[in-house]
Amino acid sequence: MLLTAPGTRTRPSLPLRAGIACALFAGALLALVVARWGPLMSLDRSIAEGLHRRAVADAGLTHANRILTDWVWDPWAMRALLAVVVGVLLWRGERLLALWVAATSGFGTAVQQGLKAAVGRDRPQWPDPVDSAGFAAFPSGHAIGVTVAFGLLVWVLALRGAGRGPRTAVLVVGVVSALGVGFTRLFLGVHWFSDVVGGWLIGVAVVTLSAAAHRRWAPNGRALDRRA
């Protein structure tokens, strides 16, 4: 156990600092979205219009993006991935960590739905849509879902001593998936660019702040699991 001299300030952990930074950036972006800040609205519209023209012109690419967004990176697919992770942890007797992963995933979904309801941002509207989506636009639930799922998976691997190879492989797949799902939502014309960026920031904030909380309040999770 590390002892700190009286009056000495301990530096926040890297996950905590990263989580706070992402939360602050997400908050600033949210404020700009709510205020309908002109330059951001123009950027959103420019990206959306350019990609929509390509989506209308290329039916094959549009179909491929729909498969990726509806099946590979769908929020329910990400929840299924985390359900497998939770199941494996339970099978290994890691009940506290399994509960932590499930609670973090649920918290991410709650934040997403709460912000969508509070902001109520309209999705892009097109005379010739190539896809459709319900509920409000900000933030992107797909972006949050992928970021939280792979972020938690990387964290669990690191926490349980997985080698650098597996962790790097999962991290690369996660980054590609997060960028990929963001592109599909923009290409299909159902989200604005700022919706996707907000989803990424919120997802990273949820995972890193959860990791920091676990480090602070559940450092002996394995021992607690054994005694339960």
Side-chain angles (χ1 to χ4, degrees):
M1 180 177 180
L2 296 177
L3 298 178
T4 305
T8 302
R9 292 185 178 180
T10 58
R11 190 179 185 186
S13 66
L14 179 59
L16 179 59
R17 282 179 282 149
I20 292 173
C22 286
L24 290 174
F25 279 120
L29 181 60
L30 171 62
L32 295 177
V33 168
V34 171
R36 298 188 59 80
W37 187 52
L40 180 61
M41 299 299 103
S42 296
L43 176 63
D44 279 344
R45 173 58 63 179
S46 176
I47 293 173
E49 289 177 347
L51 288 175
H52 182 67
R53 286 194 295 269
R54 178 67 187 279
V56 171
D58 194 333
L61 186 56
T62 298
H63 181 66
N65 275 272
R66 292 190 66 174
I67 291 175
L68 288 171
T69 203
D70 290 340
W71 295 99
V72 180
W73 295 317
D74 180 74
W76 283 105
M78 295 301 103
R79 293 181 188 117
L81 172 63
L82 288 179
V84 172
V85 173
V86 169
V88 170
L89 290 173
L90 289 173
W91 178 73
R92 288 168 52 90
E94 305 263 12
R95 283 169 285 182
L96 179 63
L97 184 55
L99 176 62
W100 206 281
V101 169
T104 302
S105 175
F107 179 70
T109 300
V111 170
Q112 165 202 320
Q113 296 299 329
L115 285 174
K116 281 181 178 289
V119 177
R121 188 184 198 187
D122 291 334
R123 292 179 183 268
Q125 300 293 321
W126 309 105
D128 50 355
V130 298
D131 201 359
S132 62
F135 210 24
F138 186 93
S140 166
H142 280 69
I144 290 178
V146 169
T147 305
V148 169
F150 280 98
L152 285 173
L153 185 52
V154 171
W155 174 62
V156 169
L157 289 173
L159 197 63
R160 290 305 175 242
R164 178 173 295 181
R167 286 186 285 122
T168 300
V170 172
L171 178 60
V172 170
V173 172
V175 171
V176 170
S177 296
L179 293 174
V181 78
F183 178 80
T184 67
R185 306 311 284 164
L186 295 173
F187 189 83
L188 295 172
V190 294
H191 272 296
W192 306 105
F193 178 67
S194 52
D195 300 336
V196 171
V197 174
W200 289 334
L201 289 171
I202 293 167
V204 173
V206 166
V207 173
T208 52
L209 290 175
S210 177
H214 184 275
R215 181 178 180 180
R216 172 66 179 83
W217 288 299
N220 299 314
R222 280 184 170 175
L224 290 172
D225 282 327
R226 285 195 295 269
R227 289 199 297 267

